Amino acid sequence: MVEPEHRASAAQRLGAQETLGISTLDPGHRPPTMPPGRHVSIKIRMLDDTEEVFDVSQRASGKVVFDLVCTHLNLVEGDYFSLEYQDHHKMMVWLDLLKPIVKQLRRPKHTVLRFVVKFFPPDHTQLLEELTRYLFALQVKHDLACGRLACNDSSAALLVSHIIQCTSLCYFMCHLGHTPAESDYQLLEVARRLELYGVRLHPAKDREGSKLSLAVAHTGVLVFQGHTKINAFNWSKVRKLSFKRKRFLIKLRPDLNSSYQDTLEFLMGSRDCCKVFWKICVEYHAFFRLFEEPKPKPKPVLFTRGSSFRFSGRTQKQVIDYVKDSEFKKIPFESVSRAPGDIVDSPPRRHWKESVLVSAEDPSALRTRSSPSSQRNGAHSEERPGPGAEPGPARQPHPEHLNTGVVSNSPHLSVSSGNSQGMVNGQKPVELCGHSPDGRQPSPLTSPLLNDAGSVRTDDEDERFPTDKAYFIAKELLTTERTYLKDLEVVTVSFQNLVGKDDAAPDSLKSTIFSNFDPLYKFHSGFLREVEQRLALWEGRSNAHIKGDYQRIGDVMLKNLQGLKPLTAHLQKHSEALVELEKACRGSRRLEVLVRDFELQKVCYIPLNVFILRPLHRLLHYKQILERLCKHYPPTHVDFRDCRAALADVSEVVAQLHGSMIKMENFQKLLELKKDLIGIDSLVTPGREFIRLGCLSKLSGKGLQQRMFFLFNDVLLYTSRGMTATNQFKVHGQLPLHDMTIRESEDEWGVPHAFTLVGQRQSVVVAASSLSEMEKWMEDIKMAIDLAETSNGHTADLLARSLTDNKSTTEDSCAEAESEDDLMASRTSLERQAPHRGNTTVHVCWHRNTSVSMVDFSIAVENQLSGNLLRKFKNSNGWQKLWVVFTNFSLFFYKTHQDDYPLASLPLLGYSVTIPTESENIHKDYVFKLHFKSHVYYFRSESEYTFERWMEVIRSATVSASSTRILSRKEPHPY
């Protein structure tokens, strides 16, 4: 017989050392003993599509074969994987590890078993071995190529970008030493957010005959219609799973608040289909929910009833504990170049678009962990941590940068040159080199990709507009009024429709909100129509022969602002609406959930209470526009008199509402922070004023630990962000400002930008990320201490009692013990916690390691802007036309101004705005550049005026203002 040609194993191709016959599953022992009997050759297809042949006894159990594969791969965390094959009914089934091979495979020589991922954990950072993550990445590539991991074009583009990087050694060597392991890590970070990640759909029907699909995940049983998840039954709600012939039954625990029946019934294709799905449900439940492998039941003496099937193997907890506690030296795993053919072609389903906008931030569930690179000493030396070491993703001291999602440091993108492989859906991936972050950690604040070939604007398009500056000021009025009317629709249409269908909202709340918003919406709809008509005449798009009489806007504004005066009473009640909404939510848990769920909808792209204050903020915008017009016009201009009269009218209304506006902005900010914090009840109290929030590193016995600080006029809170489903920050301590002192202590502790806070009961040493951050914090804390000295400390006492009632730490010794152990403990309540938007300003500050003050928020309110911009990436060719809205420290991107919700967003905290240099070859006028680390975006405006305005408002979000404006803004501005 001819000896088969020696082929390197998958582990050898990855650079792993020879095992010398030692199984990493059972250190120090040989592979499982082979039972006697005739041997057969079993073909195993690996995740990289290579085939390996194993010679085993026919009497060997499935576990013997599986352990041989794990030994062959040097795989420690093999329990996440399994072997599947196609049985005689043409169904894909899992190899039973307890049964002999001969009883499962009818024709072993002609059967190919596939080595695949069976259990998908909720978070890939639970995978402690780099080899395991690599195999998971191969599974994602396979699922994406075969169409099982269905997703939209934007998500697919981001996945392909990571795949291209991790399969091209030359590419990653050219980009700051990124390793394939880091690309695998980031690929899994993106994939795990997809709804179909790790999901295998099993066709079924409900009682009405509607076609559905059932699936199982770590959380429980899922129900899909097409590729959309329509229901989920958590393990905690499921009492029993069973099947009877073709019927699959889910028996739920009694729940008075649920509309579901006690037992749900689904009809599947056959009894075998039911049994296959029931088995995987049993295994998923045992693997993720049990602490240890269930013990076998004793065999009955006479007869049996039901299936004797049970889960065999270690649970996830046992796997994690085993890997952590193993005392043997793990075999080093060093990634080398991957073959670029990991993804195979599949029939095209949707075409790729030429232009893709990658937002730097996304939502979702942000993880404060290090990337694989932070676990190694160098880019090319990738040794595993030693015995007993904590897994890498949980042990980084350095702060992350930000998006989910997200300030992510996702890899650069590039199309592999000279080969047609590495394709998805039969199309070449888009080239996105240079528009993604270069750091180590993916982030859930990454927004969806924007891609639309129809919105690509070529360079030869050149719209002609009037060149007068007054025209562009008037056009700013038009564009911002369009956005403002859309914001009003969020309240008058979307929110009103929601609460109108539910009796959770009291009539007093509905009356207070909608009776004040509806007249304003009607008024501004008419105002917008008049502005659109005037701009059309000004541009010469109608009645061009008389347009000279209409090249002004002051008369339109004067007429409508005079018409707005009778509505001042409605504007004054907006503060009442905000208070009424908060009071109603506190009184009704049902309404609180309703409002929270509404804020998670795409149309509510900023907090709901910000929309409620929009009419007050809009008056400031009218005033600024009229001030610019009056400054531009000479006194003899035909439009000057109307503009000056309109400015006097709007200034009068602003002066009347100014005091209420300042109070409501502070109240709104306290309500927003209340949603971001846990462990405190009485944050919103009379007299409390918010001053600053942001990241500081707190010095403890374990070194510097990143903490989120919240400064008020009476107390300073410090928190940490746990790995919870709500993405909230847990309050760990408070520092009353009364009698507090502050001093620089960089020389004392040898820590850059450090300062010490000395309170009545404890002292805390913190360090800022930069000198400017330290100066801002020290300035604001000194000012807050002065404010606290003038108060009686009543609010601080309320807060102290609140923290005590919530069992938060109030002593320094307790506060220091909350780091890793406390964060991991928060996982136990995942299923009880409600969803929470993960891209708020607090989360952006956490991941950008920066801070913002109330002054910054106030300036952001005044500096809102919207309009069309042309966007270009660093290495892309064309310019893409987008409707862009700047508000709340972020850019929100739409295809057109008619869209109801943004397609992507870009938080700007930490970004820099500059003008492109000659070396960047941007040969266009009115272009500004946004960059954060390796994120680079170019935006092109239509005129010098719009260019200056965008630069002005973006700088207001990227450059913090002096805290001296806190007090000055409380006084009415001179008009």
Side-chain angles (χ1 to χ4, degrees):
M1 175 180 286
V2 179
E3 288 292 331
E5 181 182 355
H6 174 73
R7 299 177 61 187
S9 68
Q12 289 169 340
R13 284 195 302 276
L14 293 171
Q17 299 175 0
E18 290 288 345
T19 63
L20 301 178
I22 301 299
S23 169
T24 56
L25 291 176
D26 299 294
H29 295 83
R30 292 284 176 181
T33 304
M34 192 69 62
R38 189 166 63 90
H39 282 219
V40 294
S41 296
I42 303 294
K43 293 181 181 178
I44 310 291
R45 182 169 298 163
M46 301 298 182
L47 282 165
D48 59 357
D49 285 332
T50 61
E51 287 189 1
E52 305 290 348
V53 180
F54 296 89
D55 193 44
V56 299
S57 170
Q58 280 188 332
R59 298 171 57 183
S61 66
K63 187 176 188 307
V64 172
V65 179
F66 181 70
D67 284 355
L68 285 174
V69 176
C70 293
T71 303
H72 173 73
L73 293 173
N74 299 320
L75 181 60
V76 176
E77 298 172 295
D79 301 78
Y80 290 102
F81 303 84
S82 190
L83 298 171
E84 65 174 359
Y85 65 97
Q86 191 177 58
D87 66 4
H88 61 284
H89 295 300
K90 304 298 182 182
M91 291 177 54
M92 296 302 297
V93 296
W94 297 104
L95 186 70
D96 193 322
L97 300 185
L98 299 180
K99 290 184 179 180
I101 293 292
V102 70
K103 291 187 177 182
Q104 302 186 66
L105 306 181
R106 287 193 171 185
R107 304 174 66 189
K109 292 182 179 180
H110 303 283
T111 302
V112 178
L113 283 74
R114 292 194 63 96
F115 177 79
V116 295
V117 177
K118 186 175 185 178
F119 300 112
F120 289 80
D123 189 346
H124 63 92
T125 57
Q126 294 175 355
L127 306 174
L128 306 183
E129 296 285 306
E130 188 176 298
L131 173 59
T132 313
R133 288 194 292 270
Y134 167 61
L135 295 175
F136 265 73
L138 289 181
Q139 183 70 64
V140 169
K141 298 170 191 177
H142 179 271
D143 291 348
L144 187 64
C146 71
R148 179 183 293 165
L149 185 58
C151 57
N152 56 32
D153 285 352
S154 58
S155 298
L158 194 55
L159 287 169
V160 171
S161 69
H162 297 306
I163 291 172
I164 294 171
Q165 181 169 357
C166 68
T167 56
S168 177
L169 178 65
C170 298
Y171 179 81
F172 88 82
M173 287 292 291
C174 297
H175 288 78
L176 303 181
H178 285 175
T179 65
E182 294 168 23
S183 297
D184 289 341
Y185 185 90
Q186 296 174 8
L187 171 68
L188 296 176
E189 179 70 21
V190 176
R192 73 181 181 86
R193 305 179 196 285
L194 301 178
E195 200 163 60
L196 290 173
Y197 171 66
V199 168
R200 290 194 175 204
L201 300 178
H202 297 253
K205 294 181 180 179
D206 61 11
R207 287 184 174 179
E208 288 73 32
S210 301
K211 291 184 178 180
L212 303 170
S213 296
L214 298 181
V216 63
H218 67 281
T219 56
V221 181
L222 313 177
V223 183
F224 286 81
Q225 195 163 42
H227 286 159
T228 303
K229 184 171 69 176
I230 61 173
N231 215 332
F233 301 101
N234 198 286
W235 293 125
S236 61
K237 298 179 181 179
V238 176
R239 181 180 175 186
K240 183 180 181 181
L241 295 176
S242 61
F243 67 95
K244 186 175 183 180
R245 296 185 178 90
K246 295 167 45 173
R247 292 181 297 146
F248 184 79
L249 307 174
I250 304 176
K251 193 168 186 177
L252 302 177
R253 299 184 185 278
D255 187 355
L256 299 177
N257 298 322
S258 175
S259 60
Y260 295 114
Q261 303 174 10
D262 178 60
T263 303
L264 300 175
E265 181 178 312
F266 298 91
L267 189 67
M268 305 190 80
S270 65
R271 180 185 181 277
D272 288 340
C273 294
C274 272
K275 188 172 184 179
V276 167
F277 183 63
W278 174 79
K279 281 185 174 181
I280 188 61
C281 288
V282 171
E283 292 178 313
Y284 251 84
H285 177 270
F287 184 76
F288 287 108
R289 298 280 290 183
L290 301 185
F291 288 154
E292 59 184 16
E293 177 184 355
K295 297 180 180 179
K297 297 180 180 179
K299 292 185 178 181
V301 178
L302 297 177
F303 58 88
T304 62
R305 182 181 180 183
S307 174
S308 61
F309 175 79
R310 65 178 179 88
F311 170 72
S312 173
R314 294 180 295 191
T315 65
Q316 186 191 32
K317 182 181 185 302
Q318 288 178 309
V319 175
I320 293 176
D321 292 345
Y322 170 76
V323 177
K324 286 183 178 179
D325 298 339
S326 294
E327 296 181 355
F328 67 96
K329 176 64 177 178
K330 299 174 184 176
I331 298 173
F333 170 69
E334 184 173 342
S335 297
V336 296
S337 177
R338 317 271 181 86
D342 286 331
I343 287 192
V344 297
D345 294 345
S346 61
R349 292 178 302 190
R350 302 179 67 180
H351 289 284
W352 293 101
K353 313 299 191 288
E354 290 185 358
S355 296
V356 177
L357 172 65
V358 181
S359 168
E361 328 308 350
D362 143 59
S364 271
L366 206 51
R367 292 288 185 264
T368 313
R369 299 173 177 147
S370 65
S371 68
S373 63
S374 64
Q375 305 165 25
R376 296 178 292 271
N377 295 329
H380 305 291
S381 177
E382 304 182 12
E383 286 198 331
R384 298 182 182 277
E390 288 293 321
R395 53 165 241 234
Q396 96 292 355
H398 68 278
E400 250 83 38
H401 301 287
L402 219 110
N403 55 89
T404 121
V406 96
V407 204
S408 61
N409 297 349
S410 56
H412 299 272
L413 308 173
S414 173
V415 177
S416 300
S417 59
N419 96 66
S420 61
Q421 301 181 26
M423 302 171 69
V424 173
N425 298 335
Q427 302 292 329
K428 285 188 177 181
V430 265
E431 181 177 354
L432 295 173
C433 181
H435 1 117
S436 312
D438 66 336
R440 309 296 186 194
Q441 172 70 11
S443 166
L445 296 181
T446 300
S447 296
L449 307 175
L450 295 178
N451 48 13
D452 182 27
S455 65
V456 176
R457 176 175 174 177
T458 57
D459 293 337
D460 55 2
E461 295 182 46
D462 190 12
E463 300 180 19
R464 301 295 179 185
F465 296 112
T467 57
D468 185 12
K469 181 179 179 180
Y471 162 78
F472 292 107
I473 298 176
K475 192 169 184 180
E476 179 184 336
L477 172 66
L478 170 65
T479 56
T480 53
E481 191 71 15
R482 285 172 172 169
T483 299
Y484 171 58
L485 200 64
K486 279 290 184 182
D487 288 348
L488 289 181
E489 288 178 359
V490 173
V491 178
T492 60
V493 178
S494 301
F495 187 63
Q496 188 168 5
N497 290 341
L498 181 69
V499 299
K501 300 175 183 177
D502 197 299
D503 58 358
D507 293 336
S508 58
L509 174 64
K510 297 178 183 178
S511 174
T512 303
I513 294 181
F514 303 127
S515 63
N516 291 311
F517 268 84
D518 289 342
L520 287 174
Y521 179 75
K522 182 179 179 180
F523 168 80
H524 286 283
S525 298
F527 180 37
L528 177 60
R529 283 194 297 270
E530 290 189 38
V531 175
E532 288 176 333
Q533 293 169 1
R534 177 56 56 88
L535 266 293
L537 292 171
W538 203 329
E539 294 169 358
R541 287 185 271 135
S542 60
N543 298 327
H545 60 288
I546 59 171
K547 70 176 183 179
D549 297 332
Y550 294 98
Q551 292 184 339
R552 55 195 175 115
I553 197 65
D555 58 332
V556 176
M557 294 197 70
L558 178 61
K559 170 192 169 185
N560 283 275
L561 287 174
Q562 289 177 342
L564 186 63
K565 276 189 174 182
L567 299 177
T568 304
H570 295 291
L571 294 170
Q572 291 173 335
K573 292 183 179 179
H574 277 64
S575 58
E576 299 178 14
L578 197 61
V579 174
E580 188 71 24
L581 177 62
E582 166 63 11
K583 185 168 65 175
C585 288
R586 278 191 282 110
S588 170
R589 170 64 179 168
R590 185 175 170 186
L591 178 61
E592 182 184 6
V593 172
L594 193 73
V595 172
R596 183 196 65 212
D597 292 343
F598 177 74
E599 289 189 324
L600 294 174
Q601 296 182 15
K602 293 180 180 179
V603 69
C604 191
Y605 63 99
I606 53 178
L608 176 61
N609 49 28
V610 176
F611 285 110
I612 293 179
L613 295 182
R614 274 288 196 253
L616 300 178
H617 299 155
R618 187 59 180 157
L619 296 174
L620 297 175
H621 306 155
Y622 293 150
K623 180 174 176 291
Q624 292 173 345
I625 287 173
L626 287 167
E627 286 173 342
R628 284 194 289 272
L629 284 170
C630 290
K631 184 177 181 180
H632 169 69
Y633 286 139
T636 57
H637 194 278
V638 64
D639 205 26
F640 178 78
R641 178 176 296 180
D642 287 340
C643 288
R644 188 173 61 179
L647 176 60
D649 289 340
V650 74
S651 298
E652 179 183 349
V653 178
V654 168
Q656 294 176 8
L657 301 174
H658 187 267
S660 174
M661 190 186 308
I662 296 298
K663 293 179 181 178
M664 285 303 102
E665 286 177 3
N666 181 72
F667 182 56
Q668 180 270 324
K669 184 51 58 180
L670 292 177
L671 294 178
E672 187 177 340
L673 294 179
K674 180 182 176 183
K675 297 177 183 178
D676 284 316
L677 298 176
I678 54 175
I680 178 173
D681 289 332
S682 59
L683 183 67
V684 183
T685 58
R688 172 162 294 132
E689 295 183 15
F690 165 71
I691 298 177
R692 180 175 290 275
L693 66 86
C695 264
L696 292 171
S697 295
K698 182 171 175 287
L699 186 62
S700 68
K702 297 182 179 181
L704 289 173
Q705 294 180 316
Q706 185 180 3
R707 294 291 179 261
M708 197 72 180
F709 282 73
F710 298 83
L711 176 63
F712 303 92
N713 62 338
D714 59 337
V715 71
L716 178 65
L717 303 179
Y718 59 91
T719 67
S720 65
R721 184 179 179 278
M723 295 178 291
T724 66
T726 60
N727 290 319
Q728 290 172 291
F729 290 82
K730 182 178 179 181
V731 177
H732 287 290
Q734 60 146 337
L735 300 170
L737 299 183
H738 192 70
D739 291 336
M740 176 183 283
T741 59
I742 181 174
R743 69 174 187 270
E744 291 188 38
S745 53
E746 179 174 336
D747 296 335
E748 179 181 352
W749 296 99
V751 178
H753 320 306
F755 56 96
T756 302
L757 303 169
V758 182
Q760 295 176 335
R761 289 173 292 181
Q762 66 182 97
S763 298
V764 175
V765 180
V766 294
S769 59
S770 64
L771 178 61
S772 61
E773 278 291 303
M774 183 188 74
E775 291 174 345
K776 286 185 289 187
W777 273 106
M778 292 190 68
E779 180 183 1
D780 284 351
I781 292 175
K782 288 176 181 177
M783 181 194 66
I785 292 174
D786 293 339
L787 293 175
E789 296 299 329
T790 61
S791 66
N792 56 11
H794 175 64
T795 54
D797 293 338
L798 284 176
L799 185 63
R801 289 197 296 270
S802 171
L803 288 170
T804 304
D805 294 340
N806 283 278
K807 298 182 181 180
S808 286
T809 55
T810 55
E811 298 181 7
D812 191 57
S813 59
C814 296
E816 299 305 334
E818 41 84 2
S819 58
E820 285 80 6
D821 294 338
D822 202 26
L823 299 184
M824 294 300 294
S826 64
R827 289 188 177 208
T828 59
S829 59
L830 285 182
E831 295 172 358
R832 299 192 299 272
Q833 294 169 336
H836 182 76
R837 189 182 291 272
N839 60 349
T840 63
T841 305
V842 178
H843 291 84
V844 177
C845 288
W846 172 264
H847 291 278
R848 296 273 174 81
N849 200 16
T850 187
S851 66
V852 292
S853 67
M854 190 62 201
V855 175
D856 299 321
F857 283 105
S858 300
I859 294 175
V861 163
E862 299 174 1
N863 289 283
Q864 297 181 12
L865 194 59
S866 56
N868 285 311
L869 287 175
L870 301 180
R871 193 272 310 138
K872 179 184 180 300
F873 292 133
K874 183 166 61 176
N875 290 341
S876 61
N877 296 322
W879 293 83
Q880 182 182 11
K881 188 174 183 179
L882 297 168
W883 178 262
V884 184
V885 174
F886 171 78
T887 186
N888 210 38
F889 302 105
S890 300
L891 294 178
F892 295 91
F893 301 101
Y894 304 74
K895 292 168 71 174
T896 68
H897 68 83
Q898 291 100 339
D899 292 354
D900 292 329
Y901 55 85
L903 299 178
S905 63
L906 177 65
L908 295 180
L909 292 174
Y911 268 77
S912 299
V913 55
T914 57
I915 300 174
T917 61
E918 286 292 331
S919 62
E920 293 173 90
N921 296 321
I922 305 294
H923 304 299
K924 299 292 180 181
D925 295 330
Y926 316 129
V927 175
F928 60 92
K929 171 186 174 183
L930 284 174
H931 56 97
F932 172 75
K933 295 188 177 294
S934 67
H935 292 274
V936 177
Y937 304 92
Y938 298 102
F939 292 94
R940 179 177 161 199
S941 54
E942 62 185 357
S943 68
E944 182 180 0
Y945 171 80
T946 53
F947 168 78
E948 292 174 350
R949 285 289 293 136
W950 280 106
M951 291 282 286
E952 177 185 354
V953 299
I954 291 176
R955 278 182 177 143
S956 71
T958 58
V959 180
S960 297
S962 169
S963 62
T964 56
R965 289 195 53 182
I966 292 180
L967 299 178
S968 65
R969 193 175 182 271
K970 294 184 179 181
E971 300 298 328
H973 297 292
Y975 302 118

